Amino acid sequence: MSARDDTAAVRPATLAWVSRHLETGERIVGTEALHGGLTAEMRRLTIGRPDGGTRDLVLRTFVGAEHAEDWLHREAGALTTLTETGVPAPGLVAVDPVAAQCEYPSLLMTHLAGRTVLDDEGVRLRLPVLARHLVSIHALRPVERPRNYVALTTADTVVTPGGADAAAWAAAIDVIRGPVPPWEGRFLHRDFQPGNVLFEAACPSPSGPRITGVVDWAGCSWGPADLDVAHCSTVLALLHGPAWGLRFAEAYEEAGGALAASASERLYWRVRDGLACSEEVRSVVLPWREAGRTDLTVRVVEQRLDAYVTALMNTLG
């Protein structure tokens, strides 16, 4: 997630709510809108300290979102669970999931250093680092599990891109018409992908890229590891090309992660996520272009999605 000039001040009631959760003598001295979020307004708040220094917090606000209460409850629960686990996630400061004190449902959290990296350059080095971090997330065994995953895409909601391989897409849609494969539960992020991972902003160290944070835990769920792997694979395919999407599952297993036993089960989860992305190509392209990937037009991403789904059917189908 990256910054841009703020175009609107924090709303008064929300500003007062944030102020009540600051330390004695602190005050808000600046706000900056962050781009990259699809479902919520994100702002970095600069907090002035009594000693003259500053620190940053992040305010997440859902405006008009139908499921805001559920998302914020889940994110707050996830951030609490992740405290002292070693997973670099924000710390929870406060949450108002029903807008009891804020104008809109909101969550206040600590700010993590680092930046998202969406460029093609360096993807070969970043991919195994992403895989290792996802394995560490899936290894968590919280005392209180999040709710089971929800998959909203159905065979009837898939949007086949214009000019796509009709036979491959028809076969892929038939895959998700079938029964859900058996699965072993894991702690899932549910939107683990480069846009929600922060890398060290300075020049890479000799040991390679280093992740400084994983953000956006609103979809945290309990379900098969294949779901998270499938989603990251799809996003990598759209950002960098189908070959990188196909490679991620291998990197995950090389990092010690375990996926479904059979090719047909793996195909189910990976195709399901690819088809789900068909419904939201336009919404994901906009933040990528705002972040500098102007080469990623809707048409380019649709073509990559078609090539990726077709490759999955050819390799696992």
Side-chain angles (χ1 to χ4, degrees), residues 229-313:
V229 172
H231 185 60
C232 193
S233 296
T234 301
V235 175
L236 287 167
L238 303 187
L239 276 173
H240 307 300
W244 293 109
L246 296 173
R247 172 75 182 101
F248 185 69
E250 298 174 1
Y252 179 82
E253 290 187 293
E254 289 167 0
L259 295 174
S262 71
S264 62
E265 291 171 346
R266 297 182 184 204
L267 178 66
Y268 176 90
W269 299 113
R270 292 172 72 182
V271 160
R272 171 169 282 287
D273 192 86
L275 297 183
C277 281
S278 74
E279 302 171 33
E280 51 188 24
V281 168
R282 292 183 181 276
S283 63
V284 301
V285 166
L286 179 59
W288 290 348
R289 290 177 63 82
E290 288 181 342
R293 290 298 306 269
T294 54
D295 57 311
L296 295 177
T297 64
V298 169
R299 186 57 187 149
V300 165
V301 173
E302 286 180 337
Q303 290 172 336
R304 288 184 175 184
L305 179 59
D306 174 38
Y308 177 61
V309 170
T310 301
L312 287 176
M313 296 308 299

Side-chain angles (χ1 to χ4, degrees), residues 115 117 121-122 125-126 199-210:
R115 64 187 181 95
V117 183
E121 183 180 358
L125 297 176
R126 294 193 303 273
F199 281 88
E200 192 171 34
C203 296
S205 66
S207 60
R210 186 176 73 86

Side-chain angles (χ1 to χ4, degrees), residues 86-158:
V87 174
L92 177 66
V93 177
V95 63
D96 183 7
V98 296
Q101 301 177 61
C102 303
E103 282 88 349
Y104 300 102
S106 300
L107 183 143
L108 186 65
M109 62 190 124
T110 59
H111 176 265
L112 298 176
R115 64 187 181 95
T116 55
V117 183
L118 306 181
D119 298 335
D120 289 335
E121 183 180 358
V123 63
R124 180 182 63 82
L125 297 176
R126 294 193 303 273
L127 187 138
V129 180
L130 289 168
R132 288 196 296 272
H133 269 71
L134 190 53
V135 170
S136 69
I137 291 170
H138 292 165
L140 299 177
R141 296 294 182 269
V143 174
E144 185 175 346
R145 295 177 179 176
R147 78 174 194 183
N148 283 357
Y149 79 92
V150 175
L152 300 178
T153 299
T154 70
D156 297 323
T157 59
V158 174

Side-chain angles (χ1 to χ4, degrees), residues 57-86:
L57 297 175
V58 173
L59 175 67
R60 182 179 178 91
T61 302
F62 286 89
V63 179
E66 183 181 354
H67 303 291
E69 180 179 354
D70 176 55
W71 285 334
L72 288 179
H73 274 302
R74 279 199 278 170
E75 181 152 36
L79 297 186
T80 300
T81 296
L82 292 167
T83 302
E84 299 181 357
T85 62

